[in-house]
Amino acid sequence: MDMRISLYKNGLIASVFCLFFGLSPVTLSAAEAPPEFSGAYSGQLVWQGTVVMRDDVLILPGAELVIRPGTLVRVVPAEGTKIDPEYLSPLTELLVRGRLDVQGTAEAPVRFVIDGDAVAGEPAWAGITFDRSEPGRVAHAEIVAAEM
């Protein structure tokens, strides 16, 4: 049985039980999947907790990506750019034309890790590319298996 259906049924039964006996219902929910990002972004985008970079991400001119301390960015490797008509790298990349503010600290660094299999010693993603970007900051960041 699908876990979501099971939790829904159990939550519904618990709510009916609580209502019948005059108790406050308890909300049951499955663990939420981390948010996924791909494509072009304008305005301000904030990443925190765990996020998944499903495909290429482009921060447009005038836009800003803020990555909070302790954030884990899971990068899904792909061969083939998804930002048209760009072709700076055939691998998954974070392309910054706006502003990037990585707010890692010594106690809570920002980590870019591979979500999936990677060949030891081989780049699994293009990494962060700054292309005519605005001044920003990258503090206490660990970037794993990126092109150099």
Side-chain angles (χ1 to χ4, degrees):
M1 177 183 288
D2 183 24
M3 179 64 133
R4 289 173 292 180
I5 293 171
S6 176
L7 285 172
Y8 173 76
K9 285 182 179 178
N10 290 337
L12 183 60
I13 290 169
S15 294
V16 170
F17 178 82
C18 289
L19 289 173
F20 182 76
F21 288 102
L23 303 171
S24 298
V26 176
T27 304
L28 300 175
S29 63
E32 291 186 30
E36 295 184 355
F37 296 92
S38 65
Y41 292 90
S42 60
Q44 186 183 56
L45 179 63
V46 177
W47 290 356
Q48 61 187 13
T50 298
V51 299
V52 176
M53 214 173 98
R54 176 68 49 200
D55 286 312
D56 293 341
V57 170
L58 168 61
I59 305 305
L60 295 167
E64 178 182 38
L65 171 59
V66 176
I67 306 177
R68 301 275 190 231
T71 299
L72 177 67
V73 180
R74 294 177 12 207
V75 179
V76 177
E79 291 189 27
T81 189
K82 303 292 187 285
I83 301 174
D84 290 325
E86 304 297 329
Y87 191 77
L88 296 180
S89 172
L91 301 174
T92 302
E93 67 184 313
L94 172 55
L95 177 56
V96 181
R97 292 214 170 114
R99 183 172 187 276
L100 178 64
D101 185 8
V102 178
Q103 302 175 341
T105 65
E107 299 77 27
V110 170
R111 296 182 60 230
F112 290 83
V113 300
I114 300 306
D115 190 4
D117 297 329
V119 177
E122 294 290 321
W125 69 297
I128 303 170
T129 303
F130 295 92
D131 182 36
R132 300 178 306 265
S133 64
E134 299 170 20
R137 122 178 108 152
V138 177
H140 296 280
E142 176 186 356
I143 302 172
V144 176
E147 285 182 325
M148 291 295 175

